[in-house]
Amino acid sequence: MKIYDATNQDGFFNLAGKAFQAIKTLHAAAKTTVPQEVEDYLAQVELAPPGLSMRRATEEVPGASQDWTEAQSLLSGPLAESVQNLLAEYVRGDGTPTDDTRAGHVKYLIDQMKSGGYYVESSAVGISATPAAGNSGPKLGWMLSLKRSDGRDSQLVLPETLTAAIETATAWRKGNLRITSPLAAPGGLLDSNWPQGSGINASKALLVAEEDSLVPNPNFDQTDSDGAPQEWILQTATLGTTLRVTKPEEQTVAISGSPTAGHYLLQWTDSQGRTWSTDPLAWNATAADVEAALREIPELGAVTVASTGTSPNFTHTITFTGVPGNPNQLVAVNRLDTGTVTVSTTRAGELESFDGSSLVFVGNGTEQTEVLAPLVLVPQKVYLLGLFLRRKGSPLAGTLDVALVKSPGGTPINDPAGNPNLVQVDLTAGSAADWQFVSGAFVLPEGTVQPVYLQLKLSTALDAGAEVFVDEVLLTEGVELYAGGPRVAATSWPGVPRVGDSWSLTATNDRAGELQEWMHRTFDLAALGLQLPTTGSVLVPDSVIS
């Protein structure tokens, strides 16, 4: 198939470029040239001598101008259809196509471009999240990607600002986002005002690693008797020396003196200095009663309670699961008829811990610690990655590499575009005073043998005394918001999300790749899950559109 000929100008793109230029000219006329000329005329009419009825003379012009603007589609549509027919003829000219449909023709063109090294100019694209200034609830960790199943970024993302707002907050770190965007151009891809927006109005649940991650034991809550994280392979690590798992704070509430009536309260001061109180707890309250009461307090929504002893002289052991750092000790208010209520801390939480249990890489100056989790993933699907990380001590060096590998100790698997499935976290950058959220996206090539492994590995040994904390390792399938659009997921930092908090998701596309764009607008490449190659050895320049 003749794709492009700079000399004879008789390749498919040479001919299609002329049609695209014709549609561009129509759109320019409909949007700017003709309406502006009409406006100039009407403004000039206003300068006519007094006493003349200029309104009566021009009353039909505005409506006719609008009708003409809308009617440009009567020609742009057939021009686009002629390009579709043109491609069909080029494909059929190579022989009887195995898929003689519009989608089949485009796939054939792309295959021919790849085999011949042809490519088109690319656009600069991106996606980012910015919190609104008035947010007062927990931060969100955003997983945003434009990656496609072929490993390349989508060139067809629409440049727009989406709004993501918390519409419901159901529990600790749980809730739903409502994602909305400007409306799409009413006339579709060939509308002269395209693009406007995607018109998205979708609900997305906030993800929680324990429930939503494909990674086993993603928050390191389950440990063996020796303290090793269950489901994780310690490839290069000395448990207790170069690798450990933090434990959440434990406190006990001991009832003594055999009360027979009355109640007691448990009060707690949160990370923001606010003091909360449980509802009255009966003199013989059970573990379930104490747990339910404590879980009503913000930031304590995941605590667990187990009890020993005989009613009413229970000792309630409270595990502060999901509570970051080293939480304050509970305070008891005794309203029992007799006896005492004693609160003690039996195991203090670590200040740097994210939610009680975190994996910690401990530096010894020599070891490049490596741990792995086995996974079964579908090749050519996009997976979004997110995890929380915090540093302690100094100096820190190198990176924490998060990768998909074929076997323990292996190197990253390349995605279908030839890029390593690897996210590197610079351990020397940023502040060590707080947790940071790390994100990325992975795609496995076709034919990848399962299982694969999620690898966490230090690229350089940490100095003695330095530590890196990791928690809440999320891996989830990324779903496009719309065909050719971004893949979006989010998780909450500790706390109950606040309804009304919002973020701007800014998708950028400088639309520099004109051939890519006009092929999309003519064939709806996004709906077909296709886009033209943007790398190769023979450039088909955008200048064919002239």
Side-chain angles (χ1 to χ4, degrees), residues 11 30 76 84 109 162 165 297 328 342 346 352 366 389 426 458 468 489 515 522 535:
S76 59
Q84 297 166 4
L109 169 65
L162 304 100
I297 296 176
N328 291 313
T342 304
T346 54
E352 294 81 13
T366 60
L389 179 142
D426 184 354
L458 295 174
V468 175
L515 265 179
T522 300
T535 58

Side-chain angles (χ1 to χ4, degrees), residues 220-242:
F220 310 103
D221 283 348
Q222 288 80 48
T223 57
D224 293 327
S225 57
D226 61 358
Q230 294 180 7
E231 307 289 346
W232 288 80
I233 299 169
L234 309 188
Q235 177 67 13
T236 304
T238 304
L239 192 63
T241 302
T242 60

Side-chain angles (χ1 to χ4, degrees), residues 33-382:
T33 309
V34 172
Q36 186 58 57
E37 295 291 348
V38 173
E39 288 297 321
D40 290 348
Y41 163 62
L42 294 175
Q44 194 71 26
V45 166
E46 295 296 322
L47 302 178
L52 300 180
S53 181
M54 292 299 102
R55 179 171 296 180
R56 184 169 58 194
T58 61
E59 60 186 355
E60 301 293 331
V61 173
S65 177
Q66 180 63 31
D67 291 343
W68 184 90
T69 298
E70 295 173 355
Q72 57 81 28
S73 61
L74 296 177
L75 182 53
S76 59
L79 282 168
E81 186 175 353
S82 74
V83 174
Q84 297 166 4
N85 295 334
L86 188 68
L87 179 58
E89 292 305 315
Y90 269 84
V91 172
R92 291 167 186 154
D94 267 13
T96 303
T98 56
D99 182 0
D100 198 13
T101 65
R102 186 177 303 167
H105 301 155
V106 178
K107 290 176 184 176
Y108 185 85
L109 169 65
I110 292 173
D111 288 342
Q112 292 292 301
M113 291 180 70
K114 290 178 178 178
S115 63
Y118 290 94
Y119 70 102
V120 299
E121 297 178 33
S122 61
S123 300
V125 296
I127 177 77
S128 62
T130 305
N135 288 358
S136 59
K139 295 187 290 185
L140 295 190
W142 286 97
M143 293 168 278
L144 307 171
S145 179
L146 299 178
K147 192 178 285 287
R148 293 161 32 92
S149 61
D150 61 3
R152 303 188 184 279
D153 283 347
S154 173
Q155 293 280 294
L156 308 179
V157 62
L158 297 177
E160 61 177 346
T161 298
L162 304 100
T163 298
I166 302 289
E167 64 174 352
T168 60
T170 56
W172 179 261
R173 300 186 66 201
K174 292 186 177 181
N176 285 288
L177 286 163
R178 174 64 58 179
I179 301 178
T180 56
S181 76
L183 293 176
L189 291 170
L190 291 177
D191 192 311
S192 60
N193 291 309
W194 186 93
Q196 290 181 324
S198 58
I200 286 296
N201 187 339
S203 179
K204 287 269 187 181
L206 293 175
L207 302 183
V208 179
E210 183 178 7
E211 300 174 7
D212 301 308
S213 182
L214 297 171
V215 178
N217 192 17
N219 48 12
F220 310 103
D221 283 348
Q222 288 80 48
T223 57
D224 293 327
S225 57
D226 61 358
Q230 294 180 7
E231 307 289 346
W232 288 80
I233 299 169
L234 309 188
Q235 177 67 13
T236 304
T238 304
L239 192 63
T241 302
T242 60
L243 191 81
R244 63 187 180 89
V245 177
T246 65
K247 297 295 183 182
E249 172 131 346
E250 282 187 357
Q251 298 180 20
T252 59
V253 177
I255 313 300
S256 60
S258 302
T260 59
H263 66 270
Y264 61 96
L265 306 171
L266 294 176
Q267 295 180 339
W268 184 68
T269 302
D270 67 17
S271 58
Q272 300 180 46
R274 300 171 300 186
T275 298
W276 305 85
S277 178
T278 64
D279 290 335
L281 290 159
W283 57 278
N284 60 349
T286 65
D289 297 330
V290 176
E291 181 177 284
L294 287 172
R295 285 190 172 192
E296 291 299 315
I297 296 176
E299 297 190 26
L300 300 185
V303 301
T304 59
V305 179
S307 296
T308 57
T310 304
S311 180
N313 297 318
F314 288 123
T315 295
H316 302 296
T317 299
I318 302 159
T319 302
F320 283 67
T321 304
V323 183
N326 183 14
N328 291 313
Q329 184 171 287
L330 295 163
V331 174
V333 178
N334 187 350
R335 297 288 185 266
L336 301 175
D337 62 342
T338 185
T340 60
V341 183
T342 304
V343 179
S344 302
T345 296
T346 54
R347 182 176 67 203
E350 291 193 42
L351 179 62
E352 294 81 13
S353 177
F354 182 73
D355 68 353
S357 297
S358 300
L359 186 70
V360 188
F361 294 81
V362 183
N364 70 349
T366 60
E367 182 181 275
Q368 291 176 249
T369 309
E370 175 187 353
V371 299
L372 308 103
L375 301 170
V376 176
L377 303 177
V378 179
Q380 295 187 306
K381 276 194 175 181
V382 179

Side-chain angles (χ1 to χ4, degrees), residues 387-448:
L387 60 84
F388 289 90
L389 179 142
R390 186 169 181 173
R391 301 173 293 129
K392 179 183 178 182
S394 62
L396 292 166
T399 60
L400 176 69
D401 293 350
V402 186
L404 291 181
V405 298
K406 293 181 179 179
S407 60
T411 57
I413 303 168
N414 284 345
D415 66 19
N419 305 305
N421 281 298
L422 170 67
V423 174
Q424 292 187 300
V425 187
D426 184 354
L427 298 178
T428 67
S431 170
D434 199 1
W435 285 85
Q436 68 182 97
F437 188 72
V438 176
S439 64
F442 294 146
V443 185
L444 291 174
E446 186 177 4
T448 302

